[in-house]
Amino acid sequence: MYSAVRTTLPVDPPAAHALWRKETRHALRSHPQSALPPDKRGAFPGLRYYDYDPRFAFAVEVEPLPEERYDIGTSTGSAIPFVRFGKVTFDLGMLEIYWLDAYKRRRLPAVPRRDRRQDHIRRRRYLLDTAKSADLGSRGTALVLDFNFAYHPSCFYDPKWVCPLAGPFSRIGAPIEAGERT
């Protein structure tokens, strides 16, 4: 899904957003590893989304930071080891970029994040997770961060899933009305 979205996004962002929405609904209803419990998939009505808004789309350079390991809390109360390796600064604020320590050889960035209105786990959304290929790629050396594609973690649908929470510096002070709605 994200491969097609990455191809479409530079030429037609609203079309890429529509494709992402359609494919997300299909995956949640029919993929064998869907986050939805099997008994809820057939009747799943789909998600609500904000309309695509270019004000929430950014291409940002990653500023390297000294690598530092953090045990990031999860939705189940456990912790998952992440390594912070950089940060991005843009109009809405600053986010640190991590990779899962288990994937350190592949350096797959992850940005679990929350905004001012997302104090409860059911309101938090992810911006990218390259371990699942849920990312929008890059433009030259800049990382594409488009909040229009912010999505709910698996634990939003079923508490059996373990989801990392936003790290201490992966929070934005303003509400972001883009991506999947709660």
Side-chain angles (χ1 to χ4, degrees):
M1 165 176 63
Y2 276 88
S3 177
V5 170
R6 283 189 292 268
T7 301
T8 308
L9 187 61
V11 293
D12 191 346
H17 190 248
L19 173 64
W20 173 72
R21 291 168 57 165
K22 176 184 164 215
E23 293 299 323
T24 297
R25 181 174 185 265
H26 176 72
L28 284 168
R29 290 187 79 184
S30 63
H31 194 281
Q33 293 180 337
S34 169
L36 281 173
D39 62 325
K40 297 190 190 286
R41 292 178 189 172
F44 181 63
L47 298 166
R48 296 180 322 126
Y49 296 86
Y50 291 98
D51 291 336
Y52 189 87
D53 187 338
R55 294 177 303 146
F56 295 111
F58 305 92
V60 294
E61 296 293 332
V62 175
E63 180 183 330
L65 291 175
E67 292 181 14
E68 191 168 342
R69 186 179 181 277
Y70 291 93
D71 287 332
I72 303 288
T74 71
S75 57
T76 61
S78 61
I80 297 175
F82 279 84
V83 175
R84 183 208 59 206
F85 67 92
K87 70 177 182 177
V88 293
T89 304
F90 52 101
D91 294 350
L92 301 176
M94 184 275 295
L95 292 172
E96 289 189 340
I97 308 291
Y98 302 82
W99 69 70
L100 278 164
D101 198 27
Y103 293 115
K104 62 186 165 193
R105 294 181 198 273
R106 291 176 37 202
R107 295 193 176 201
L108 302 170
V111 185
R113 64 114 193 100
R114 70 178 188 179
D115 66 35
R116 182 172 53 96
R117 295 187 344 195
Q118 296 174 319
D119 292 330
H120 186 275
I121 186 62
R122 293 209 24 99
R123 293 191 187 114
R124 295 177 186 172
R125 295 175 294 160
Y126 288 6
L127 191 52
L128 68 93
D129 180 357
T130 55
K132 293 182 178 179
S133 297
D135 69 280
L136 299 171
S138 60
R139 291 187 190 137
T141 60
L143 181 65
V144 174
L145 297 180
D146 191 331
F147 289 83
N148 292 288
F149 296 87
Y151 64 95
H152 298 295
S154 299
C155 55
F156 174 84
Y157 304 100
D158 188 340
K160 79 172 187 174
W161 296 95
V162 179
C163 301
L165 306 176
F169 298 104
S170 290
R171 298 176 182 160
I172 294 178
I176 297 174
E177 295 181 341
E180 295 177 355
R181 292 177 177 249
T182 52

